[in-house]
Amino acid sequence: DIENEVFNLVNIRPGVAEFLERLCAVECKLVLATNADRRSMSRKLAHTQLSGYFDDIFSSHDFGFAKEDRAFWQALQEKINFEPEHTLFIDDNHSVLSAARQFGIKFLYGIQQPNSQGETIQSEDFYCLSSFEELTL
């Protein structure tokens, strides 16, 4: 299947592991929210060895709403009771970032190069990271 064909393209972005380690060191609650189904996400996390950094992992399939839908954010908040005004959220999809902003999430970042093989993008709505090393605590 196509997932197996592109699986070798799944890699950790530069600086991600170090950024997650810094967040863990200051005892931030780390949650991974994805539109990927659990099977696919489990394979990616096993390959990248990132799952140990997260306190919780949620798929949009858990709630029946994509991250682009406000209902996803409401369901996630009901599940883990996060404070949007104190939440940092990073995503490579600007529609998802817009939905998060509408829900009230305060600290939002996009990704300059969502596909490591693709073009670099900018946004007028969100600051787009070129590297996770840009983020300091």
Side-chain angles (χ1 to χ4, degrees):
D1 71 354
I2 192 153
E3 186 176 329
N4 287 324
E5 291 177 27
V6 298
F7 190 70
N8 64 333
L9 299 175
V10 174
N11 291 305
I12 301 172
R13 291 183 179 275
V16 165
E18 295 81 3
F19 177 64
L20 293 172
E21 286 171 14
R22 289 193 317 267
L23 290 173
C24 288
V26 295
E27 299 181 9
C28 288
K29 181 170 181 156
L30 298 177
V31 176
L32 175 64
T34 180
N35 276 338
D37 64 74
R38 285 230 172 240
R39 185 178 129 283
S40 174
M41 198 66 231
S42 292
R43 289 182 66 208
K44 290 176 184 176
L45 288 170
H47 177 71
T48 60
Q49 299 180 340
L50 291 177
S51 62
Y53 290 107
F54 297 101
D55 297 299
D56 283 309
I57 299 171
F58 295 99
S59 166
S60 60
H61 298 260
D62 297 337
F63 303 117
F65 305 101
K67 292 189 305 181
E68 293 86 346
D69 190 323
R70 181 178 172 85
F72 170 86
W73 297 102
Q74 183 63 44
L76 183 63
Q77 186 178 45
E78 288 172 10
K79 187 78 171 173
I80 63 172
N81 194 30
F82 67 94
E83 297 176 16
E85 64 277 5
H86 296 120
T87 298
L88 164 67
F89 180 64
I90 303 166
D91 203 281
D92 61 4
N93 180 318
H94 290 200
S95 295
V96 170
L97 289 168
S98 292
R101 175 180 280 156
Q102 290 171 357
F103 187 72
I105 295 178
K106 184 173 180 180
F107 303 100
L108 299 165
Y109 292 94
I111 302 293
Q112 270 188 19
Q113 195 173 19
N115 177 337
S116 63
Q117 309 297 313
E119 294 182 25
T120 299
I121 60 170
Q122 293 296 330
S123 170
E124 293 181 16
D125 297 321
F126 306 101
Y127 179 81
C128 292
L129 301 168
S130 61
S131 165
F132 279 75
E133 290 142 353
E134 292 180 62
L135 296 170
T136 58
L137 302 181

